[in-house]
Amino acid sequence: MDLYQIRRQRRRCRRRRQKAIILSIFSILAIGLSILLAGVLKASSGTPGETTEVPKQSTEAQAVTEAAIQIVKATPKPTKAPRLYKMRLNKKDSYLLAKIAMAEAEGEPLKGKELVIMVVLNRVLSEEFPDTVHDVIYQERQFSPIADGRFDRVEPDEDCWAALEKVKALESDFSEGALYFENCACDDNWHSRNLEFLYKYGNHKFYK
């Protein structure tokens, strides 16, 4: 199980705990309401013609209601985790990111396309590279599909757009800060000699 799957499981567990707390609160409120209604019905069952007053909430019902209120107050409000990539991406940026994912990782699993996109965005955030998506992708001698013309020939498929949306919503970096990738079959190359190897996924080896 990779780091991405572990984080997804943790988010699912967190959502289950939140649902369990909400169900507990509703159960307590339902019990309190039942006790209150039972008291009202008992008080209204006097002899015909007899005027009865609606009793005040019973001690038991008050206790249950107050307990429910305390649980609600003590339950932390869910907060939206900050996104990993906070920069604003316009339509052109999004298209270029989906396109580079297609050019570099066509035929690979969704995660392979996500990693390609993450490398580009990691570069945008890095002081070592240009600070826009366009300039990172078109930086000279960085991405082979730019040099050989493949980038101009391909169009993003549904997986590329899906990968982009997942990356835009990420809360943490499962790329481990990757800034480079290559698919050279030779183990002795510029990347291996000058960079820190991180991992291999699909056809690509990732470095920083």
Side-chain angles (χ1 to χ4, degrees):
M1 182 180 295
D2 58 26
L3 184 60
Y4 181 57
Q5 291 173 324
I6 292 173
R7 285 170 177 157
R8 287 185 63 187
Q9 285 189 352
R10 287 177 179 173
R11 286 196 292 271
R12 290 195 191 102
C13 291
R14 189 163 58 246
R15 286 195 291 267
R16 290 193 191 103
R17 286 196 296 269
Q18 291 173 346
K19 289 179 180 178
I21 291 172
I22 292 171
L23 288 174
S24 299
I25 293 170
F26 277 113
S27 298
I28 292 173
L29 289 174
I31 293 171
L33 183 59
S34 299
I35 294 173
L36 179 61
L37 290 175
V40 172
L41 291 174
K42 183 177 180 180
S44 61
S45 60
T47 58
E50 181 182 355
T51 302
T52 58
E53 294 182 357
V54 177
K56 294 182 179 179
Q57 189 177 19
S58 67
T59 304
E60 294 85 352
Q62 284 181 344
V64 172
T65 303
E66 289 175 2
I69 292 172
Q70 292 303 318
I71 292 176
V72 172
K73 289 182 178 179
T75 303
K77 294 181 179 180
T79 56
K80 189 175 182 180
R83 292 182 296 110
L84 174 62
Y85 300 109
K86 298 180 182 179
M87 76 276 282
R88 291 187 177 181
L89 300 174
N90 57 35
K91 289 183 179 179
K92 182 178 179 181
D93 292 333
S94 297
Y95 175 68
L96 290 174
L97 288 168
K99 196 173 175 73
I100 194 66
M102 185 68 175
E104 291 281 10
E106 182 181 8
E108 290 199 19
L110 197 65
K111 184 178 177 180
K113 295 178 174 65
E114 291 175 43
L115 286 169
V116 169
I117 294 171
M118 291 176 76
V119 167
V120 175
L121 294 179
N122 288 345
R123 288 190 176 196
V124 173
L125 295 175
S126 171
E127 295 180 355
E128 301 175 16
F129 296 91
D131 57 5
T132 69
V133 170
H134 176 276
D135 291 349
V136 164
I137 290 176
Y138 281 98
Q139 187 176 12
E140 188 176 1
R141 300 179 64 184
Q142 294 299 310
F143 296 99
S144 58
I146 300 295
D148 63 21
R150 172 174 166 76
F151 186 80
D152 295 324
R153 296 191 299 270
V154 300
E155 286 296 327
D157 60 12
E158 290 184 5
D159 277 355
C160 294
W161 289 110
L164 175 60
E165 290 305 311
K166 291 187 70 174
V167 169
K168 287 164 65 175
L170 282 177
E171 299 172 5
S172 55
D173 179 11
F174 68 80
S175 75
E176 299 181 27
L179 291 170
Y180 300 84
F181 60 83
E182 51 92 9
N183 60 358
C184 180
C186 177
D187 291 332
D188 183 21
N189 53 49
W190 181 89
H191 292 83
S192 62
R193 290 192 299 270
N194 295 277
L195 302 171
E196 176 187 348
F197 173 74
L198 295 175
Y199 49 84
K200 184 177 187 296
Y201 186 86
N203 297 322
H204 292 109
K205 297 175 183 177
F206 292 83
Y207 302 82
K208 66 178 180 181

